[in-house]
């Protein structure tokens, strides 16, 4: 405690002066200013120490800009390439059954295996050129990506290709199948060395009139080999041919 603003040490000096009876000493003790204690005031009970200052965060390194991706080139199948025979899906087929159309004297109804889970129904205008016995069981080449087309009320899901001998006016004198070699597998695609590429879908065939563009250049050569612009129709077992028709159109 303090007396008249004096510290405990000053009060002790004052009491000693009084005890000695020295008036001058008492006066000096009362006049002397009290020196504040250098000791810090005790902290209040329960007070929390101030939190230590947080270390400043290091600045984040600037991210390097990502390199721009190079544009992807379209695949050969997706590219809008010029119309040629590679647009067509020509496959080796086997006619399992053939019968006359009940409402057309020109048409045969054929059931053809082209390597798919189910055979296709295809109609051909061959009744005036071949007997049924020559059609049923034949190995043929089929266009498999033409849009379905009804013929005399029955949808036809493809086209069987034939070579024809014609007169000077273009009239057909003889028609026979384009035949794949015996070693070619049913369902195998016919290829062309000078015209690589994947076939397109039936909708594009129709939209771009691809069959109409390609058909005029399909023909047998002087040896009876089926060609497109002089390039032979190839299978893994060899070229496709017509038995007797030489230098004739194919349709």
């Amino acid at each position: 405690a303090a007396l008249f603003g004096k510290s405990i040490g000053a009060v002790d000096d004052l009491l000693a002066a009084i005890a000695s009876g020295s008036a001058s000493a008492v006066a000096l003790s009362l006049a002397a200013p009290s020196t504040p204690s250098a000791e810090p005031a005790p902290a209040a009970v329960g007070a929390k120490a101030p939190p230590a200052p947080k270390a400043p965060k290091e600045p984040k390194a600037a991210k390097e800009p990502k390199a721009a991706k190079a544009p992807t080139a379209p695949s050969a199948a997706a590219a809008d390439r010029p119309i040629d025979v590679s647009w067509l899906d020509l496959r080796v087929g086997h006619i399992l059954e053939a019968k006359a159309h009940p409402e057309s004297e020109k048409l045969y109804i054929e059931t053809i295996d082209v390597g798919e889970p189910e055979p296709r129904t295809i109609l051909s205008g061959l009744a005036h050129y071949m007997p049924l016995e020559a059609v049923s069981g034949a190995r043929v080449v089929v266009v498999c990506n033409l849009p379905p087309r009804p013929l005399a009320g029955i949808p036809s899901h493809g086209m069987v290709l034939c070579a024809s001998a014609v007169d000077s006016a273009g009239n057909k004198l003889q028609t026979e199948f384009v035949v794949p070699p015996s070693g070619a597998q049913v369902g195998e695609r016919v290829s062309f060395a000078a015209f690589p590429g994947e076939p397109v879908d039936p909708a594009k065939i129709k939209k771009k009139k691809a069959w109409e563009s390609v058909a005029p250049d399909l023909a047998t050569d002087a040896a009876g080999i089926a060609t497109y612009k002089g390039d032979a129709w190839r299978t893994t077992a060899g070229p496709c041919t017509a038995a007797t028709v030489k230098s004739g159109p194919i349709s």
Side-chain angles (χ1 to χ4, degrees):
L3 178 65
F4 304 108
K6 299 294 184 178
S7 66
I8 293 174
V11 172
D12 289 344
D13 293 342
L14 179 59
L15 292 177
I18 294 172
S20 66
S22 174
S24 59
V26 172
L28 287 172
S29 297
L30 289 173
S34 175
T35 303
S37 174
E39 297 179 359
V45 177
K48 294 182 179 179
K54 294 182 179 179
K57 294 182 178 180
E58 294 183 3
K60 294 182 178 179
K63 293 183 178 180
E64 294 184 3
K66 294 182 178 179
K69 293 183 178 180
T72 303
S75 67
D80 193 11
R81 63 185 189 273
I83 297 173
D84 59 41
V85 72
S86 69
W87 281 46
L88 302 181
D89 186 8
L90 305 184
R91 293 189 223 162
V92 175
H94 177 214
I95 301 178
L96 305 175
E97 181 186 10
K99 57 185 179 182
H101 193 294
E103 298 180 8
S104 173
E105 61 180 17
K106 297 180 180 180
L107 296 173
Y108 286 153
I109 304 170
E110 301 143 1
T111 302
I112 306 180
D113 180 5
V114 291
E116 296 172 335
E118 297 294 331
R120 294 192 181 203
T121 298
I122 295 177
L123 281 73
S124 302
L126 298 174
H128 291 172
Y129 303 101
M130 302 181 195
L132 277 174
E133 304 80 57
V135 176
S136 185
R139 287 169 56 82
V140 292
V141 176
V142 180
V143 187
C144 291
N145 61 339
L146 297 178
R149 186 170 63 129
L151 295 175
I154 297 176
S156 179
H157 298 272
M159 180 188 295
V160 177
L161 293 174
C162 297
S164 299
V166 297
D167 61 18
S168 58
N171 299 310
K172 291 182 180 181
L173 304 175
Q174 176 188 354
T175 295
E176 61 191 27
F177 292 126
V178 174
V179 180
S182 59
Q185 297 296 312
V186 169
E188 177 182 339
R189 189 180 177 214
V190 175
S191 63
F192 299 82
F195 302 94
E198 295 300 312
V200 303
D201 61 79
K204 192 168 185 178
I205 289 285
K206 180 178 180 180
K207 180 180 179 180
K208 298 292 186 178
K209 299 185 182 300
W211 170 251
E212 290 81 357
S213 296
V214 171
D217 292 308
L218 300 174
T220 56
D221 63 13
I225 296 173
T227 67
Y228 170 73
K229 294 186 176 181
D231 192 12
W233 301 18
R234 291 175 171 83
T235 71
T236 55
C240 301
T241 59
T244 62
V245 174
K246 317 295 182 184
S247 303
I250 296 173
S251 61

